[in-house]
Amino acid sequence: TQLLEQSPQFLSIQEGENLTVYCNSSSVFSSLQWYRQEPGEGPVLLVTVVTGGEVKKLKRLTFQFGDARKDSSLHITAAQPGDTGLYLCAGGSGYALNFGKGTSLLVTP
Amino acid sequence: DAGVIQSPRHEVTEMGQEVTLRCKPISGHDYLFWYRQTMMRGLELLIYFNNNVPIDDSGMPEDRFSAKMPNASFSTLKIQPSEPRDSAVYFCASTLAGGPREQFFGPGTRLTVL
């Protein structure tokens, strides 16, 4: 099993602050995905990173895939209350995914 | 377009009872996944199907758990007998082979075993 460790586990910040969350593994992945899960709902895909060193931007969210394709980070600029949720990274071989335990983010006004 | 549909949304049962969770994947998707989510263990893959055939059930915790997919539009996850430690949120997800491997999740079934 390819384990994914996410940090921090919990993060509470005020609106307007910047933050970075991390996803690390000792395994190499052909791709990594980031999902966001809101309370009472299933995870929803934010982005897939495929190439080592790749950087993808989604509005105020910036995703980076490590050069060795073992780790990834998610940076949020000027966080808003609507960014509150559980951020999960996922990777695996074939179509089955292993998920990290996630970073629970709370953004207060 | 309808997303992944799960029923029931909430289930409360007593220890020893049989529980059946249901899932309808997105039409045309040929992979279906069952997950369990708890605070302690996070989101765990239990079993997945391709074209209605179980591919990997190594995540199924015990023989008390079983899953079936009798056709492309329906799957069940059954727990018999249920135990309090089975309390969790169970998610079903589906994806399309040959696509970007994005998994589309249902809203989940929150199971409480008393």
Side-chain angles (χ1 to χ4, degrees), chain B residues 3-55:
Chain B
V4 175
I5 299 172
Q6 290 187 247
S7 65
R9 291 295 310 273
H10 302 274
E11 177 81 38
V12 179
T13 190
E14 292 190 345
M15 182 174 62
Q17 296 297 306
E18 176 180 298
V19 175
T20 299
L21 311 181
R22 297 172 176 80
C23 175
K24 176 179 169 57
I26 292 173
S27 177
H29 282 190
D30 38 20
Y31 278 86
L32 183 140
F33 307 85
W34 281 101
Y35 292 89
R36 176 174 68 176
Q37 187 175 39
T38 61
M39 285 291 294
M40 287 295 295
R41 300 176 68 90
L43 194 61
E44 302 174 278
L45 177 63
L46 300 177
I47 184 172
Y48 73 98
F49 297 81
N50 177 219
N51 291 324
N52 314 336
V53 176
I55 302 301

Side-chain angles (χ1 to χ4, degrees), chain A residues 31 33 35 37 94-95 101, chain B residues 9 37 40 91 98 101 103:
Chain A
S31 65
Q33 297 181 340
Y35 290 76
Q37 183 178 17
Y95 288 88
K101 290 187 178 180
Chain B
R9 291 295 310 273
Q37 187 175 39
M40 287 295 295
F91 287 100
R101 297 201 302 163
Q103 292 193 11

Side-chain angles (χ1 to χ4, degrees), chain A residues 78-93:
Chain A
Q80 298 179 359
D83 296 326
T84 292
L86 179 67
Y87 289 81
L88 297 159
C89 66
S93 56

